[in-house]
C-alpha cells in the first residue's frame, strides 16, 4: 500500500516533535532530581532584601549598630538603613508610606492612629529622658555646684519673661549664684519637629500651666522669636553645639547625650518634691508608675510618662517607639518583624544602655515580644545565638547567626578595646601634662602677672605652665593681633597700657576673629629725678610745659628761671646740665607722656606723639615719634631708665609711678589741670575713671577713642597721666583646647577681689567695681572647645568638689612659698623697727647721739643685709627647683611622643 508522501512527512515531523518533548521532560526530571534546579532557587535567594526606616535621632546609633549586626549575621543578602530625621519627620514619612517602619519618642496622635484603621502597631523598646543643660561657669554656681530651676522658672525663661541670670526668681532658688549683673540668658531650642520639644512642652504644660499656656507641641511655634538670645537649631547635635559655644546659655537635649558631652544639667523638682538631676533619678521607674500599658495595636496617644509622681521619678521621661504596619507582606515584612524582635531580645535590650538610654523592664519586654509575634502574621527569621549553635538549621537562608561575623567588624571591636585602654592611659598622662598659658605685652603689670601665675600653678591639681613676656605694649599688641600670621595670635593673651588700634580692631572683626578688651588696673606715669639739693621734705615742683621744654631740650640746665620760679629755696649749681633719660624702643609710657605733654603744651612739644622706636643696629636714632633730640640718653625698658636715673646725678626720666616709688626714686610733683602740685603717691588715681565712665564701651567694643583718654582730666587730686592696663583675649578659644579655660581662669583671678587687692603691692591701683563688671561680662563671651573642662576657684572648702582635677584651690600651697611669705613678713617688721628708730633719732638733737645709739642704729641695717641675702638664696633655690621640674616634665613627654602619636593614629582609625 502506497503512503502519501506529504502525510508521511507530516507524521514524521510530529513523531520527531514528540520525541524532542519527551527528551526535554526527561532531562528536566533528571535535572530537578539531581538538584540543578536548586540553582535557580539560590539565584532568587541572592536578591538583596531591603528595609528602610526613619524617625527620631535618639536611637539612631543603636539602630545602626543593630542593623550592622543583623546584616553580618544574615544567611542571605539584606540591606537595612535608618535616617535620623526627628520624630516629627519620621511620623510624616511613615504615614505617607515611604518608609518600611518609623520611630519616634512620641506616640501617634489619636487622629493619626485612627487613620490606619487598626493596621498599625506602636511598640516601645527603650526609655529615655530629656534634660535641660546650661553653660553657666562652674565657679559662678558657688558652693552648691548646681543650678536649681523650678518648672515655672523654666517656663518663664523659655518664654523670655525671665531674660537675665541674676533675676530675683533664679537667685532665690540659688543663693550662692554669682553671675555678672544683667547677664542675658541665651535659650537654645529645636527648630524642627522634635520629640524633645514635645517632652519639655508637655512637662512645662503639666507642671506649670499658669505660665506655660500654649499647650504641647513638637514644633518651635511656642518659642518667641529673638535672633540675639533665642537660637533655634536643627537636630539635637546642633543644639548641643550651640550650648557649648554660647556661655550663659540653656537648652534641652536627651539626658544621655548631654552627659556624654560633659554638660552641666539643671536640677529639677519632680512631682514627689525631690530636687534632682537625671543621673540621680530612676528613669525606668516612670513606666512602672504609669501602670498598665495599652495593647500595641491600640491608641497610645494618652500614654505619657511626663511629671509622674513617685520617689526618684524623672519628670521628663518617654518611651521610644517603633511603628510598623500589620499589613506588611513578603520578605520586607518578615525583615521588619525580625528587626523588631531583635530590638526586644535579651541581646538587643542589653545594648540599649551603651547608647545612654534605658531598657524596658523584663515584664514589659516579654509582653511586647508576645504581642509582636501575634499581631504581625509573618514568619520571623530564626536567631542563632553565638552561645548556642544550631547544627544544620544555622546554615539556613532565613537565619541570623551569631556565629557569623565580618573580619572588619572583629578588627573594629579589637581596635575599640585598644583605644579604650589608650584613652585611659592618655587621660592619666594628661593629668600630669602641663596646660600652657603664655601671654606678652606691657612691662607695667609683669610682676603682678608673674605672682598670679605662680599662685595659680600652686593651687592647681593639674600642672599649669604659665608665662608672661614683658616686651612692651606695642610688641604685645603686635603678637596678639598676628597681622603677619593670618591674624592668628602668637600668644594666648596680650596686654598693654594702650589699646588695640581701630584698624586692627576692624581687621580682626572682619576676619571673624573678634576679641575682648579687659581693663584690669590703673597705672600712673611719673617723672623721677636724681637732683641733689632739693629742700628736704619737699618735692621738685614742675609745670607740664616746663617738662615739655626739658624733654625737647629747650631747657637744658637746672637753674633755668622756669624751674626756679616754682621751687623757692632750690639752688642748683650754676649752669648744671640736665640729663634727659628716655625709652629707646616702643613703650606705652612714652606714648602716654608724649600724648599728655602735646595735649597740654602743643607749642612746646614739637617732636611728635607716639610710642617711639629705634632700629636695634642704631638705637640712638629714633625711627618713630617722638623724635628725641640727639643729646638725650636712651635706655631699654623701664628698668634701664630707672637704673640710668639712679646712676646719674641731675638726671630726669619717666617710668610708671609704682616702679619709681618702689625703688625710692625722687618723684617730680606735677601740676595737674586744677593747678595743684602733687605726686602720684598723693593723688587719687581712680578719680579720672569716673569722669569718663559714661563713654566706656563694652569689652568687645572699639576702645581706640579719644573720649576714653584719662590724660589731663580735672579734679583737685586727679593725677594727669593715668591709664588703664588691659588684657586682650580672643573670643573664640576653641582652638586652644585645654588652654582656653586656663586663660579664662587667669583673667578671673586678675579681676577677682584677691587679685585686685594685690595691685598696690606692685605700684598699681585697682579698677572700680563698674569696670570689673564690664570685664566679667567680657569673659562671658568667650567660647571654648566642646570637650573643655572649666576651672573652679575654691576660695573656701568645697568638700569632695575641691579635689577635682580642674579646681584651683586656695587650700593648696608649697612650703617654699609659705617660708618666703614668712621671710617677707620678718623683713617688713624689721623695716618698720628701723624706720621707727630713725624717726626717734631725728626728733632728738643730733649732737646728743651717743655711741650706744649709733650701734643700735647699725643693728637693723645689718639685719636687713642678712635678710636680703637669705631672700636671694631662697629665690635661687626656688628657681632651680622650678627649672628641674620643668626639665623633668619635658623629658618625660618627649620620651612619650611615640605613644601619643600612636594614640592619635588609632583614634583617627
Amino acid at each position: 500500500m502506497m503512503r502519501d508522501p506529504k502525510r508521511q512527512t507530516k507524521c514524521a515531523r510530529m513523531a520527531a516533535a514528540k520525541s524532542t518533548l519527551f527528551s526535554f521532560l526527561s532531562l528536566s526530571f533528571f535535572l530537578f532530581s539531581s538538584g540543578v534546579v536548586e540553582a535557580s532557587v539560590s539565584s532568587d535567594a541572592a536578591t538583596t532584601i531591603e528595609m528602610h526606616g526613619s524617625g527620631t535621632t535618639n536611637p539612631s546609633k543603636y539602630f545602626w549598630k543593630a542593623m550592622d549586626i543583623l546584616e553580618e549575621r544574615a544567611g542571605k543578602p539584606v540591606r537595612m538603613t535608618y535616617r535620623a530625621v526627628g520624630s516629627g519627620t519620621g511620623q510624616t514619612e511613615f504615614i505617607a508610606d515611604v518608609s518600611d517602619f518609623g520611630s519616634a519618642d512620641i506616640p501617634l496622635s489619636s487622629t493619626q492612629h485612627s487613620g490606619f484603621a487598626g493596621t498599625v502597631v506602636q511598640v516601645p523598646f527603650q526609655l529615655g529622658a530629656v534634660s535641660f543643660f546650661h553653660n553657666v561657669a562652674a565657679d559662678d554656681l558657688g558652693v552648691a555646684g548646681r543650678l536649681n530651676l523650678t518648672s515655672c522658672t523654666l517656663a518663664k525663661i523659655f518664654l523670655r519673661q525671665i531674660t537675665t541670670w541674676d533675676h530675683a526668681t533664679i537667685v532665690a532658688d540659688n543663693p550662692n549664684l554669682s553671675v555678672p549683673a544683667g547677664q542675658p540668658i541665651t535659650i537654645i531650642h529645636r527648630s524642627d519637629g522634635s520629640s524633645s520639644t514635645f517632652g519639655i512642652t508637655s512637662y512645662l504644660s503639666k507642671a506649670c500651666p499658669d505660665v506655660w499656656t500654649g499647650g504641647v507641641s513638637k514644633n518651635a511655634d511656642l518659642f518667641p522669636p529673638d535672633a540675639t538670645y533665642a537660637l533655634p537649631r536643627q537636630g539635637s547635635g546642633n543644639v548641643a553645639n550651640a550650648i557649648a559655644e554660647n556661655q550663659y546659655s540653656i537648652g534641652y537635649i536627651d539626658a544621655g547625650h548631654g552627659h556624654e558631652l560633659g554638660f552641666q544639667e539643671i536640677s529639677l523638682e519632680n512631682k514627689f518634691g525631690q530636687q534632682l538631676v537625671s543621673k540621680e533619678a530612676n528613669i525606668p521607674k516612670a513606666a512602672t508608675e504609669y501602670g498598665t500599658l495599652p495593647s500595641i495595636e491600640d491608641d497610645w496617644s494618652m500614654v505619657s510618662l511626663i511629671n509622674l509622681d513617685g520617689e526618684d521619678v524623672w519628670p521628663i521621661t518617654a518611651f521610644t517607639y517603633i511603628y510598623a504596619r500589620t499589613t506588611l507582606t513578603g520578605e520586607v515584612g518578615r525583615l521588619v518583624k525580625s528587626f523588631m524582635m531583635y530590638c526586644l531580645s535579651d541581646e538587643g535590650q542589653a545594648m540599649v544602655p551603651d547608647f545612654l538610654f534605658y531598657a524596658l523592664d523584663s515584664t514589659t519586654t516579654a509582653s511586647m515580644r508576645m504581642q509582636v509575634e501575634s499581631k504581625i502574621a509573618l514568619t520571623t527569621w530564626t536567631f542563632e545565638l553565638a552561645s548556642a549553635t544550631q547544627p544544620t538549621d544555622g546554615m539556613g537562608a532565613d537565619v541570623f547567626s551569631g556565629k557569623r561575623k565580618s573580619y572588619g567588624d572583629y578588627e573594629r571591636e579589637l581596635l575599640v578595646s585598644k583605644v579604650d585602654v589608650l584613652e585611659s592611659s592618655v587621660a592619666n598622662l594628661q593629668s600630669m601634662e602641663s596646660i600652657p598659658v603664655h601671654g606678652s605685652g606691657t612691662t607695667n603689670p609683669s610682676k603682678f602677672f608673674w605672682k598670679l601665675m605662680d599662685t595659680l600653678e600652686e593651687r592647681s591639681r593639674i600642672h599649669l605652665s604659665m608665662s608672661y613676656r614683658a616686651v612692651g605694649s606695642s610688641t604685645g599688641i603686635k603678637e596678639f593681633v598676628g597681622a603677619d600670621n593670618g591674624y592668628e595670635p602668637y600668644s594666648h593673651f596680650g596686654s598693654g597700657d594702650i589699646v588695640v588700634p581701630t584698624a586692627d580692631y576692624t581687621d580682626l572683626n572682619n576676619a571673624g576673629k573678634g576679641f575682648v578688651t579687659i581693663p584690669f588696673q590703673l597705672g600712673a606715669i611719673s617723672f623721677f629725678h636724681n637732683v641733689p639739693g632739693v629742700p628736704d621734705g619737699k618735692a621738685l615742683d614742675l609745670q607740664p610745659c616746663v617738662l615739655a621744654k626739658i624733654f625737647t631740650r629747650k631747657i637744658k640746665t637746672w637753674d633755668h628761671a622756669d624751674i626756679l620760679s616754682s621751687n623757692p629755696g632750690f639752688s642748683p649749681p650754676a649752669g648744671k646740665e640736665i640729663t634727659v633719660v628716655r625709652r629707646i624702643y616702643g613703650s606705652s609710657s612714652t606714648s602716654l607722656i608724649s600724648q599728655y605733654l602735646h595735649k597740654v603744651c602743643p607749642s612746646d612739644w614739637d617732636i611728635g606723639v607716639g610710642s617711639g622706636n629705634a632700629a636695634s643696629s642704631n638705637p640712638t636714632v629714633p625711627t618713630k615719634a617722638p623724635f628725641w633730640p640727639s643729646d638725650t640718653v636712651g635706655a631699654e625698658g623701664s628698668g634701664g631708665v630707672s637704673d640710668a636715673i639712679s646712676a646719674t646725678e641731675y638726671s630726669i626720666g619717666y617710668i610708671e609711678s609704682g616702679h619709681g616709688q618702689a625703688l625710692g626714686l625722687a618723684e617730680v610733683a606735677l601740676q595737674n589741670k586744677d593747678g595743684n602740685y602733687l605726686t602720684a603717691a598723693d593723688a587719687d588715681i581712680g578719680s579720672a575713671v569716673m569722669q569718663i565712665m559714661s563713654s566706656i564701651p563694652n569689652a568687645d567694643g572699639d576702645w581706640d577713642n579719644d573720649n576714653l583718654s584719662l590724660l589731663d582730666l580735672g579734679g583737685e587730686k586727679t593725677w594727669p597721666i593715668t591709664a588703664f592696663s588691659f588684657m586682650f583675649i580672643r573670643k573664640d578659644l576653641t582652638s586652644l583646647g585645654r588652654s582656653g579655660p586656663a586663660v579664662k581662669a587667669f583673667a578671673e583671678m586678675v579681676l577677682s577681689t584677691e587679685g585686685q587687692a594685690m595691685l598696690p603691692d606692685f605700684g598699681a591701683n585697682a579698677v572700680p567695681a563698674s569696670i570689673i563688671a564690664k570685664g566679667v561680662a567680657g569673659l562671658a563671651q568667650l567660647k571654648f572647645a566642646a570637650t573643655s573642662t572649666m576651672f573652679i576657684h575654691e576660695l573656701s572648702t568645697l568638700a569632695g568638689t575641691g579635689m577635682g582635677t580642674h579646681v584651683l584651690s586656695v587650700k593648696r600651697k608649697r612650703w617654699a612659698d609659705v617660708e618666703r611669705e614668712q621671710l617677707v613678713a620678718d623683713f617688713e617688721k624689721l623695716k618698720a623697727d628701723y624706720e621707727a628708730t630713725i624717726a626717734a633719732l631725728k626728733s632728738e638733737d643730733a649732737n646728743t647721739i651717743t655711741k650706744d645709739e649709733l650701734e643700735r642704729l647699725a643693728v637693723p641695717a645689718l639685719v636687713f643685709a642678712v635678710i636680703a641675702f637669705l631672700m636671694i638664696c631662697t629665690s635661687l633655690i626656688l628657681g632651680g627647683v622650678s627649672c628641674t621640674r620643668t626639665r623633668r616634665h619635658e623629658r618625660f613627654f618627649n620620651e612619650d611622643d611615640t605613644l601619643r602619636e600612636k594614640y592619635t593614629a588609632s583614634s583617627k582609625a
Side-chain angles (χ1 to χ4, degrees), residues 395-416:
M395 281 301 295
D398 297 341
V399 175
F400 292 118
S401 173
K403 301 293 184 176
R404 292 190 180 97
K405 186 176 288 189
S406 69
Y407 181 75
D409 191 55
Y410 160 76
E411 193 171 37
R412 183 175 59 194
E413 290 177 357
L414 187 63
L415 284 172
V416 167

Side-chain angles (χ1 to χ4, degrees), residues 414-740:
L414 187 63
L415 284 172
V416 167
S417 66
K418 289 181 177 180
V419 168
D420 287 342
V421 173
L422 281 172
E423 282 181 339
S424 176
S425 299
V426 168
N428 290 332
L429 288 173
Q430 286 179 337
S431 68
M432 297 182 285
E433 188 177 15
S434 294
I435 298 176
V437 174
H438 303 301
S440 67
T442 172
T443 60
N444 291 343
S446 56
K447 298 178 184 65
F448 171 62
F449 279 173
W450 294 333
K451 180 170 183 178
L452 290 187
M453 288 175 169
D454 279 357
T455 301
L456 291 181
E457 286 178 353
E458 290 176 357
R459 293 181 180 181
S460 177
R461 175 172 169 174
I462 295 177
H463 184 223
L464 297 176
S465 175
M466 296 180 151
S467 75
Y468 180 75
R469 284 171 59 243
V471 291
S473 296
S474 298
T475 301
I477 289 174
K478 179 180 180 180
E479 293 180 344
F480 173 76
V481 171
D484 59 350
N485 190 38
Y487 289 102
E488 292 298 330
Y490 292 95
S491 57
H492 291 125
F493 71 90
S495 183
D497 303 310
I498 52 178
V499 296
V500 175
T502 294
D504 288 329
Y505 172 85
T506 302
D507 289 343
L508 283 169
N509 278 278
N510 287 343
K513 301 179 185 296
F515 64 97
V516 292
T517 299
I518 311 289
F520 67 89
Q521 73 172 26
L522 280 168
I525 305 299
S526 294
F527 295 91
F528 293 91
H529 67 87
N530 185 355
V531 180
V534 176
D536 192 28
K538 190 176 186 305
L540 184 64
D541 295 343
L542 294 177
Q543 297 173 350
C545 291
V546 172
L547 280 164
K549 293 174 183 177
I550 290 173
F551 277 81
T552 57
R553 305 300 283 150
K554 295 178 179 67
I555 293 178
K556 293 190 175 184
T557 63
W558 284 109
D559 60 349
H560 191 280
D562 289 352
I563 298 176
L564 297 179
S565 65
S566 59
N567 293 279
F570 174 49
S571 301
K576 187 63 182 178
E577 185 82 12
I578 300 174
T579 300
V580 172
V581 183
R582 47 83 180 180
R583 292 280 287 268
I584 293 174
Y585 301 113
S587 157
S588 56
S589 301
T590 302
S591 176
L592 290 169
I593 69 107
S594 67
Q595 289 179 60
Y596 166 65
L597 294 175
H598 181 265
K599 179 180 180 180
V600 180
C601 307
S603 60
D604 296 318
W605 188 266
D606 54 7
I607 60 175
V609 174
S611 57
N613 212 342
S616 57
S617 58
N618 190 11
T620 61
V621 178
T623 58
K624 290 184 177 180
F627 294 99
W628 300 103
S630 59
D631 57 347
T632 56
V633 176
E636 184 173 352
S638 57
V641 171
S642 61
D643 289 345
I645 295 171
S646 298
T648 310
E649 282 194 342
Y650 296 99
S651 63
I652 186 171
Y654 57 89
I655 54 174
E656 56 272 17
S657 305
H659 185 183
Q661 292 161 5
L663 294 173
L665 297 177
E667 185 178 355
V668 169
L670 183 58
Q671 188 182 44
N672 69 6
K673 190 170 186 176
D674 279 20
N676 300 315
Y677 287 100
L678 71 167
T679 63
D682 299 323
D684 179 1
I685 303 298
S687 66
V689 178
M690 304 317 295
Q691 299 181 48
I692 67 161
M693 195 66 211
S694 61
S695 301
I696 292 179
N698 292 327
D700 60 351
D702 184 359
W703 285 67
D704 190 7
N705 188 325
D706 290 340
N707 293 331
L708 300 177
S709 173
L710 301 178
L711 299 177
D712 195 39
L713 297 180
E716 181 184 357
K717 300 192 73 175
T718 299
W719 183 247
I721 318 177
T722 303
F724 286 117
S725 290
F726 303 93
M727 285 183 72
F728 311 114
I729 306 173
R730 295 292 180 91
K731 287 200 285 189
D732 187 350
L733 300 180
T734 54
S735 64
L736 296 187
R738 299 199 303 158
S739 292

Side-chain angles (χ1 to χ4, degrees), residues 346-428:
D346 291 343
E347 181 180 355
Q349 288 290 290
M351 277 189 349
V352 168
D354 296 342
F355 297 91
L356 309 176
F357 287 89
Y358 301 86
L360 304 178
D361 64 87
S362 58
T363 302
T364 303
T365 304
S367 172
M368 293 301 119
R369 286 181 201 154
M370 182 178 66
Q371 292 186 66
V372 169
E373 188 62 56
S374 64
K375 303 297 181 183
I376 301 178
L378 292 169
T379 304
T380 309
W381 284 45
T382 301
F383 292 91
E384 180 186 34
L385 301 179
S387 58
T389 303
Q390 299 178 26
T392 308
D393 292 341
M395 281 301 295
D398 297 341
V399 175
F400 292 118
S401 173
K403 301 293 184 176
R404 292 190 180 97
K405 186 176 288 189
S406 69
Y407 181 75
D409 191 55
Y410 160 76
E411 193 171 37
R412 183 175 59 194
E413 290 177 357
L414 187 63
L415 284 172
V416 167
S417 66
K418 289 181 177 180
V419 168
D420 287 342
V421 173
L422 281 172
E423 282 181 339
S424 176
S425 299
V426 168
N428 290 332

Side-chain angles (χ1 to χ4, degrees), residues 49-60:
I49 305 169
E50 296 189 9
M51 179 191 77
H52 305 291
S54 67
T56 172
T57 59
N58 290 343
S60 56

